[in-house]
């Protein structure tokens, strides 16, 4: 067991990918800035991290992604104009985003994979455990998913990946864990396989994109050779971690939306819109109109 503190204060959000599944929208706009209703996806993710007690958000970014940094900064011109027009509520909304967290950005100069993106955070994370949240996965839950994992890390002093059960014919879309069940929701992981064929999958527990990891993952990633697609896979680094330290998988409570996929994005948009009192009735009427074909 490493001798680092077990308080989780930092989160890494890898956002350096090209977002090819969402072209042409992502040609000039970072995928992370595409909104679910009127809130950019990345803001939902940062809010989850902050609600889990995270103070420092380390954004792994790339060229042409400055809009993300601007979003979490103040916009004096906008806020001042809103003040003068007595639109206080909107000015406050804008300022609150600027105050949300300490945002530290690091450039991943070449898209060498998710594992490589996480490794880019090492100089800022140092010898502390940290959370990783992927921007493509929106998890709607009473207790934020990252909070659920942080509680396990702080109790068990072990790295933990969030998992969800998927149908057998969908295992080839995810990293899948295998190991021994400790209770109905928790597994001691000894194997991880990236996008296995259904017959090779060690379980139906898939990793959608939430982790709390010990800093030992950095050394594991340094020793990880490029895998599928010439990229350094986080799953391969986690396999090495599981061989060196205790690694748990926890079936989190909550609904997950794959917002990196077109249908998942529409699903999330409708679900979030229907929850907004000022929009719900209008959205219902629009849906009824389209479904009745009028
Ligand atoms: P994806 O594999 O979903 O890639 O990365 P992507 O580029 O975002 O999207 P598509 O598949 O081309 O549409 C999973 C996560 O890892 C980050 C991405 O930004 C995303 O949050 N990532 C991936 C990096 O930060 N760097 C990389 O080199 C690769």
């Amino acid at each position: 067991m490493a001798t680092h503190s077990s308080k989780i204060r930092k989160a890494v959000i890898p956002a350096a990918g090209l977002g090819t599944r969402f072209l042409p929208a992502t040609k000039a706009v970072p995928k992370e800035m595409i909104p679910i209703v009127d809130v950019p996806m990345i803001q939902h993710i940062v809010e989850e991290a902050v609600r889990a007690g995270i103070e420092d958000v380390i954004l792994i970014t790339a060229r042409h992604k400055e809009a993300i940094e601007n979003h979490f900064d103040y916009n004096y011109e906008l806020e001042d104009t809103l003040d003068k027009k007595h639109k206080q509520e909107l000015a406050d909304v804008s300022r609150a985003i600027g105050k949300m967290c300490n945002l530290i950005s690091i450039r991943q100069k070449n898209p060498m994979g998710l594992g490589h993106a996480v490794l880019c955070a090492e100089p800022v994370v140092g010898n502390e455990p940290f959370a990783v949240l992927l921007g493509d996965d929106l998890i709607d839950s009473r207790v934020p998913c990252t909070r659920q994992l942080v509680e396990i890390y702080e109790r068990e002093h072990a790295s933990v990946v969030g998992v969800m059960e998927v149908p057998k014919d969908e295992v080839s879309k995810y990293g899948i864990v295998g190991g021994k069940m400790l209770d109905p929701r928790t597994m001691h992981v000894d194997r991880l396989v990236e996008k296995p064929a259904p017959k090779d999958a060690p379980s139906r527990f898939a990793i959608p994109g939430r982790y709390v990891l010990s800093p030992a993952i950095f050394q594991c990633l340094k020793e990880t050779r490029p895998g599928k697609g010439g990229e350094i896979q986080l799953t391969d680094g986690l396999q090495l971690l599981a061989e060196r330290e205790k690694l748990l998988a926890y079936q989190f409570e909550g609904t997950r939306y794959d917002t990196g996929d077109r249908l998942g994005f529409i699903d999330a948009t409708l679900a979030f819109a229907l929850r907004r009192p000022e929009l719900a009735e209008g959205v219902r009427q629009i849906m009824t109109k389209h479904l009745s074909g009028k």
Side-chain angles (χ1 to χ4, degrees), residues 13-23 31-32 60-61 65 108 110-118 133-136 195 231 260:
I13 303 185
L18 295 173
T20 49
R21 280 180 296 164
F22 244 91
L23 277 168
K31 176 172 71 176
E32 294 74 15
I60 308 302
T61 173
K65 295 240 175 176
Q108 184 191 23
N110 289 305
M112 287 164 63
L114 175 58
H116 179 259
V118 171
L133 294 87
L134 299 193
D136 277 351
K195 303 190 169 78
E231 298 190 337

Side-chain angles (χ1 to χ4, degrees), residues 102-206:
N102 302 320
L103 188 80
I104 302 149
S105 43
I106 297 182
R107 286 277 182 110
Q108 184 191 23
K109 294 179 191 162
N110 289 305
M112 287 164 63
L114 175 58
H116 179 259
V118 171
L119 188 52
C120 289
E122 187 187 19
V124 178
V125 172
N127 195 31
E128 278 185 41
F130 61 103
V132 178
L133 294 87
L134 299 193
D136 277 351
D137 297 292
L138 218 57
I139 297 171
D140 183 28
S141 53
R142 196 178 48 81
V143 178
C145 179
T146 299
R147 175 85 243 155
Q148 297 176 39
L149 303 185
V150 162
E151 280 168 11
I152 291 175
Y153 190 101
E154 292 179 351
R155 193 176 67 229
E156 304 291 330
H157 304 284
S159 298
V160 53
V161 299
V163 291
M164 58 183 190
E165 202 162 14
V166 296
K168 204 167 173 61
D169 60 352
E170 284 187 23
V171 289
S172 57
K173 295 204 304 201
Y174 300 95
I176 302 289
V177 292
K180 182 170 173 278
M181 292 309 291
L182 302 177
D183 65 50
R185 302 194 89 90
T186 318
M187 177 191 275
H188 188 152
V189 178
D190 59 24
R191 239 162 340 138
L192 296 102
V193 196
E194 183 63 22
K195 303 190 169 78
K199 65 173 178 38
D200 301 326
S203 76
R204 290 198 286 118
F205 284 124

